[in-house]
PDB file of all heavy atoms in Angstrom:
ATOM      1  N   ARG A  13      13.655 -25.228  15.611  1.00  0.00           N
ATOM      2  CA  ARG A  13      12.614 -24.657  16.454  1.00  0.00           C
ATOM      3  C   ARG A  13      12.306 -25.536  17.680  1.00  0.00           C
ATOM      4  O   ARG A  13      11.810 -25.116  18.675  1.00  0.00           O
ATOM      5  CB  ARG A  13      11.336 -24.316  15.629  1.00  0.00           C
ATOM      6  CG  ARG A  13      10.618 -25.613  15.177  1.00  0.00           C
ATOM      7  CD  ARG A  13       9.228 -25.278  14.629  1.00  0.00           C
ATOM      8  NE  ARG A  13       8.501 -26.461  14.399  1.00  0.00           N
ATOM      9  CZ  ARG A  13       8.449 -27.112  13.308  1.00  0.00           C
ATOM     10  NH1 ARG A  13       9.041 -26.717  12.237  1.00  0.00           N
ATOM     11  NH2 ARG A  13       7.746 -28.275  13.180  1.00  0.00           N
ATOM     12  N   CYS A  14      12.477 -26.878  17.505  1.00  0.00           N
ATOM     13  CA  CYS A  14      12.201 -27.779  18.560  1.00  0.00           C
ATOM     14  C   CYS A  14      13.382 -28.236  19.400  1.00  0.00           C
ATOM     15  O   CYS A  14      13.246 -29.092  20.275  1.00  0.00           O
ATOM     16  CB  CYS A  14      11.516 -29.012  17.926  1.00  0.00           C
ATOM     17  SG  CYS A  14      10.029 -28.648  17.072  1.00  0.00           S
ATOM     18  N   PHE A  17      13.065 -28.143  23.180  1.00  0.00           N
ATOM     19  CA  PHE A  17      12.181 -29.172  23.668  1.00  0.00           C
ATOM     20  C   PHE A  17      12.962 -30.497  23.721  1.00  0.00           C
ATOM     21  O   PHE A  17      12.813 -31.342  24.655  1.00  0.00           O
ATOM     22  CB  PHE A  17      10.940 -29.327  22.860  1.00  0.00           C
ATOM     23  CG  PHE A  17       9.988 -28.178  23.001  1.00  0.00           C
ATOM     24  CD1 PHE A  17       9.945 -27.160  21.962  1.00  0.00           C
ATOM     25  CD2 PHE A  17       9.184 -27.980  24.043  1.00  0.00           C
ATOM     26  CE1 PHE A  17       9.094 -26.143  22.102  1.00  0.00           C
ATOM     27  CE2 PHE A  17       8.292 -26.927  24.197  1.00  0.00           C
ATOM     28  CZ  PHE A  17       8.318 -26.021  23.155  1.00  0.00           C
ATOM     29  N   LEU A  21      13.809 -32.792  27.010  1.00  0.00           N
ATOM     30  CA  LEU A  21      13.500 -34.247  27.048  1.00  0.00           C
ATOM     31  C   LEU A  21      14.732 -35.034  27.382  1.00  0.00           C
ATOM     32  O   LEU A  21      14.728 -35.915  28.215  1.00  0.00           O
ATOM     33  CB  LEU A  21      12.944 -34.653  25.743  1.00  0.00           C
ATOM     34  CG  LEU A  21      12.637 -36.164  25.558  1.00  0.00           C
ATOM     35  CD1 LEU A  21      11.559 -36.575  26.544  1.00  0.00           C
ATOM     36  CD2 LEU A  21      12.131 -36.422  24.123  1.00  0.00           C
ATOM     37  N   TYR A  25      15.508 -37.458  30.677  1.00  0.00           N
ATOM     38  CA  TYR A  25      15.912 -38.864  30.609  1.00  0.00           C
ATOM     39  C   TYR A  25      17.258 -39.089  31.383  1.00  0.00           C
ATOM     40  O   TYR A  25      17.423 -40.112  32.038  1.00  0.00           O
ATOM     41  CB  TYR A  25      16.124 -39.324  29.132  1.00  0.00           C
ATOM     42  CG  TYR A  25      14.892 -39.777  28.484  1.00  0.00           C
ATOM     43  CD1 TYR A  25      14.532 -39.306  27.212  1.00  0.00           C
ATOM     44  CD2 TYR A  25      13.968 -40.621  29.085  1.00  0.00           C
ATOM     45  CE1 TYR A  25      13.364 -39.721  26.562  1.00  0.00           C
ATOM     46  CE2 TYR A  25      12.789 -41.027  28.503  1.00  0.00           C
ATOM     47  CZ  TYR A  25      12.518 -40.548  27.256  1.00  0.00           C
ATOM     48  OH  TYR A  25      11.362 -40.947  26.633  1.00  0.00           O
ATOM     49  N   VAL A  41       7.178 -38.276  30.276  1.00  0.00           N
ATOM     50  CA  VAL A  41       6.091 -38.306  29.270  1.00  0.00           C
ATOM     51  C   VAL A  41       5.580 -36.847  28.936  1.00  0.00           C
ATOM     52  O   VAL A  41       5.458 -36.587  27.730  1.00  0.00           O
ATOM     53  CB  VAL A  41       4.922 -39.182  29.814  1.00  0.00           C
ATOM     54  CG1 VAL A  41       3.673 -38.988  28.864  1.00  0.00           C
ATOM     55  CG2 VAL A  41       5.387 -40.625  29.788  1.00  0.00           C
ATOM     56  N   PRO A  42       5.410 -35.977  29.878  1.00  0.00           N
ATOM     57  CA  PRO A  42       5.046 -34.604  29.433  1.00  0.00           C
ATOM     58  C   PRO A  42       6.085 -33.916  28.570  1.00  0.00           C
ATOM     59  O   PRO A  42       5.707 -33.243  27.616  1.00  0.00           O
ATOM     60  CB  PRO A  42       4.890 -33.823  30.769  1.00  0.00           C
ATOM     61  CG  PRO A  42       4.626 -34.918  31.792  1.00  0.00           C
ATOM     62  CD  PRO A  42       5.416 -36.067  31.351  1.00  0.00           C
ATOM     63  N   ALA A  43       7.312 -34.098  28.808  1.00  0.00           N
ATOM     64  CA  ALA A  43       8.368 -33.518  28.003  1.00  0.00           C
ATOM     65  C   ALA A  43       8.370 -34.127  26.650  1.00  0.00           C
ATOM     66  O   ALA A  43       8.528 -33.453  25.635  1.00  0.00           O
ATOM     67  CB  ALA A  43       9.756 -33.641  28.687  1.00  0.00           C
ATOM     68  N   LEU A  44       8.091 -35.418  26.575  1.00  0.00           N
ATOM     69  CA  LEU A  44       8.051 -36.097  25.290  1.00  0.00           C
ATOM     70  C   LEU A  44       6.835 -35.575  24.470  1.00  0.00           C
ATOM     71  O   LEU A  44       6.941 -35.370  23.260  1.00  0.00           O
ATOM     72  CB  LEU A  44       7.891 -37.621  25.440  1.00  0.00           C
ATOM     73  CG  LEU A  44       7.836 -38.525  24.220  1.00  0.00           C
ATOM     74  CD1 LEU A  44       9.129 -38.365  23.416  1.00  0.00           C
ATOM     75  CD2 LEU A  44       7.583 -39.932  24.606  1.00  0.00           C
ATOM     76  N   GLU A  45       5.674 -35.434  25.118  1.00  0.00           N
ATOM     77  CA  GLU A  45       4.545 -34.867  24.446  1.00  0.00           C
ATOM     78  C   GLU A  45       4.743 -33.438  23.926  1.00  0.00           C
ATOM     79  O   GLU A  45       4.342 -33.121  22.818  1.00  0.00           O
ATOM     80  CB  GLU A  45       3.301 -34.878  25.403  1.00  0.00           C
ATOM     81  CG  GLU A  45       2.693 -36.224  25.660  1.00  0.00           C
ATOM     82  CD  GLU A  45       1.551 -36.153  26.637  1.00  0.00           C
ATOM     83  OE1 GLU A  45       1.142 -35.089  27.025  1.00  0.00           O
ATOM     84  OE2 GLU A  45       1.047 -37.258  26.877  1.00  0.00           O
ATOM     85  N   ASP A  46       5.443 -32.632  24.711  1.00  0.00           N
ATOM     86  CA  ASP A  46       5.797 -31.276  24.237  1.00  0.00           C
ATOM     87  C   ASP A  46       6.752 -31.301  22.971  1.00  0.00           C
ATOM     88  O   ASP A  46       6.501 -30.564  22.097  1.00  0.00           O
ATOM     89  CB  ASP A  46       6.528 -30.457  25.352  1.00  0.00           C
ATOM     90  CG  ASP A  46       5.548 -30.099  26.479  1.00  0.00           C
ATOM     91  OD1 ASP A  46       4.365 -30.167  26.289  1.00  0.00           O
ATOM     92  OD2 ASP A  46       6.104 -29.698  27.550  1.00  0.00           O
ATOM     93  N   TYR A  47       7.654 -32.217  23.061  1.00  0.00           N
ATOM     94  CA  TYR A  47       8.579 -32.311  21.876  1.00  0.00           C
ATOM     95  C   TYR A  47       7.790 -32.776  20.598  1.00  0.00           C
ATOM     96  O   TYR A  47       7.950 -32.225  19.592  1.00  0.00           O
ATOM     97  CB  TYR A  47       9.664 -33.298  22.230  1.00  0.00           C
ATOM     98  CG  TYR A  47      10.639 -33.531  21.074  1.00  0.00           C
ATOM     99  CD1 TYR A  47      11.389 -32.464  20.563  1.00  0.00           C
ATOM    100  CD2 TYR A  47      10.773 -34.792  20.491  1.00  0.00           C
ATOM    101  CE1 TYR A  47      12.251 -32.661  19.450  1.00  0.00           C
ATOM    102  CE2 TYR A  47      11.660 -34.985  19.413  1.00  0.00           C
ATOM    103  CZ  TYR A  47      12.392 -33.918  18.953  1.00  0.00           C
ATOM    104  OH  TYR A  47      13.197 -34.136  17.897  1.00  0.00           O
ATOM    105  N   TYR A  48       6.939 -33.784  20.788  1.00  0.00           N
ATOM    106  CA  TYR A  48       6.189 -34.285  19.678  1.00  0.00           C
ATOM    107  C   TYR A  48       5.214 -33.194  19.083  1.00  0.00           C
ATOM    108  O   TYR A  48       4.962 -33.067  17.936  1.00  0.00           O
ATOM    109  CB  TYR A  48       5.402 -35.518  19.989  1.00  0.00           C
ATOM    110  CG  TYR A  48       6.229 -36.812  19.947  1.00  0.00           C
ATOM    111  CD1 TYR A  48       5.812 -37.899  20.670  1.00  0.00           C
ATOM    112  CD2 TYR A  48       7.371 -36.872  19.200  1.00  0.00           C
ATOM    113  CE1 TYR A  48       6.572 -39.061  20.623  1.00  0.00           C
ATOM    114  CE2 TYR A  48       8.143 -37.991  19.143  1.00  0.00           C
ATOM    115  CZ  TYR A  48       7.714 -39.097  19.901  1.00  0.00           C
ATOM    116  OH  TYR A  48       8.503 -40.282  19.872  1.00  0.00           O
ATOM    117  N   GLU A  49       4.605 -32.408  20.042  1.00  0.00           N
ATOM    118  CA  GLU A  49       3.746 -31.327  19.628  1.00  0.00           C
ATOM    119  C   GLU A  49       4.465 -30.270  18.850  1.00  0.00           C
ATOM    120  O   GLU A  49       3.999 -29.727  17.825  1.00  0.00           O
ATOM    121  CB  GLU A  49       3.005 -30.681  20.820  1.00  0.00           C
ATOM    122  CG  GLU A  49       2.191 -29.485  20.488  1.00  0.00           C
ATOM    123  CD  GLU A  49       1.019 -29.791  19.579  1.00  0.00           C
ATOM    124  OE1 GLU A  49       0.605 -30.943  19.503  1.00  0.00           O
ATOM    125  OE2 GLU A  49       0.528 -28.844  18.928  1.00  0.00           O
ATOM    126  N   CYS A  50       5.705 -29.997  19.288  1.00  0.00           N
ATOM    127  CA  CYS A  50       6.525 -29.042  18.537  1.00  0.00           C
ATOM    128  C   CYS A  50       6.823 -29.545  17.127  1.00  0.00           C
ATOM    129  O   CYS A  50       6.836 -28.805  16.162  1.00  0.00           O
ATOM    130  CB  CYS A  50       7.822 -28.749  19.262  1.00  0.00           C
ATOM    131  SG  CYS A  50       8.901 -27.565  18.452  1.00  0.00           S
ATOM    132  N   LEU A  51       7.083 -30.805  17.017  1.00  0.00           N
ATOM    133  CA  LEU A  51       7.452 -31.369  15.741  1.00  0.00           C
ATOM    134  C   LEU A  51       6.236 -31.482  14.798  1.00  0.00           C
ATOM    135  O   LEU A  51       6.286 -31.144  13.586  1.00  0.00           O
ATOM    136  CB  LEU A  51       8.007 -32.780  15.880  1.00  0.00           C
ATOM    137  CG  LEU A  51       9.419 -32.953  16.410  1.00  0.00           C
ATOM    138  CD1 LEU A  51       9.765 -34.429  16.660  1.00  0.00           C
ATOM    139  CD2 LEU A  51      10.406 -32.252  15.569  1.00  0.00           C
ATOM    140  N   HIS A  52       5.073 -31.948  15.270  1.00  0.00           N
ATOM    141  CA  HIS A  52       3.947 -32.305  14.408  1.00  0.00           C
ATOM    142  C   HIS A  52       2.748 -31.439  14.546  1.00  0.00           C
ATOM    143  O   HIS A  52       1.875 -31.432  13.706  1.00  0.00           O
ATOM    144  CB  HIS A  52       3.569 -33.726  14.672  1.00  0.00           C
ATOM    145  CG  HIS A  52       4.698 -34.730  14.526  1.00  0.00           C
ATOM    146  ND1 HIS A  52       5.303 -35.001  13.398  1.00  0.00           N
ATOM    147  CD2 HIS A  52       5.333 -35.405  15.478  1.00  0.00           C
ATOM    148  CE1 HIS A  52       6.276 -35.820  13.506  1.00  0.00           C
ATOM    149  NE2 HIS A  52       6.329 -36.143  14.816  1.00  0.00           N
ATOM    150  N   HIS A  53       2.634 -30.636  15.581  1.00  0.00           N
ATOM    151  CA  HIS A  53       1.512 -29.704  15.832  1.00  0.00           C
ATOM    152  C   HIS A  53       0.111 -30.381  15.768  1.00  0.00           C
ATOM    153  O   HIS A  53      -0.858 -29.810  15.371  1.00  0.00           O
ATOM    154  CB  HIS A  53       1.514 -28.599  14.770  1.00  0.00           C
ATOM    155  CG  HIS A  53       2.758 -27.778  14.774  1.00  0.00           C
ATOM    156  ND1 HIS A  53       3.121 -26.955  15.772  1.00  0.00           N
ATOM    157  CD2 HIS A  53       3.771 -27.709  13.869  1.00  0.00           C
ATOM    158  CE1 HIS A  53       4.289 -26.362  15.570  1.00  0.00           C
ATOM    159  NE2 HIS A  53       4.724 -26.821  14.415  1.00  0.00           N
ATOM    160  N   ARG A  54       0.039 -31.594  16.261  1.00  0.00           N
ATOM    161  CA  ARG A  54      -1.250 -32.335  16.191  1.00  0.00           C
ATOM    162  C   ARG A  54      -2.318 -31.690  17.051  1.00  0.00           C
ATOM    163  O   ARG A  54      -3.435 -31.623  16.667  1.00  0.00           O
ATOM    164  CB  ARG A  54      -1.009 -33.826  16.572  1.00  0.00           C
ATOM    165  CG  ARG A  54      -0.263 -34.567  15.480  1.00  0.00           C
ATOM    166  CD  ARG A  54      -0.227 -36.025  15.793  1.00  0.00           C
ATOM    167  NE  ARG A  54       0.463 -36.679  14.665  1.00  0.00           N
ATOM    168  CZ  ARG A  54       1.437 -37.525  14.852  1.00  0.00           C
ATOM    169  NH1 ARG A  54       1.821 -37.871  16.044  1.00  0.00           N
ATOM    170  NH2 ARG A  54       1.980 -38.120  13.852  1.00  0.00           N
ATOM    171  N   LYS A  55      -1.939 -31.311  18.280  1.00  0.00           N
ATOM    172  CA  LYS A  55      -2.945 -30.720  19.236  1.00  0.00           C
ATOM    173  C   LYS A  55      -3.354 -29.374  18.682  1.00  0.00           C
ATOM    174  O   LYS A  55      -4.516 -29.016  18.738  1.00  0.00           O
ATOM    175  CB  LYS A  55      -2.339 -30.570  20.605  1.00  0.00           C
ATOM    176  CG  LYS A  55      -2.116 -31.862  21.322  1.00  0.00           C
ATOM    177  CD  LYS A  55      -1.468 -31.672  22.670  1.00  0.00           C
ATOM    178  CE  LYS A  55      -1.108 -32.953  23.317  1.00  0.00           C
ATOM    179  NZ  LYS A  55      -0.449 -32.740  24.582  1.00  0.00           N
TER     180      LYS A  55
END
Side-chain angles (χ1 to χ4, degrees):
R13 71 172 189 263
C14 299
F17 293 101
L21 177 63
Y25 278 134
V41 170
L44 181 63
E45 286 179 1
D46 289 344
Y47 178 63
Y48 280 157
E49 176 61 22
C50 180
L51 288 175
H52 305 293
H53 303 289
R54 288 189 179 131
K55 292 178 185 177

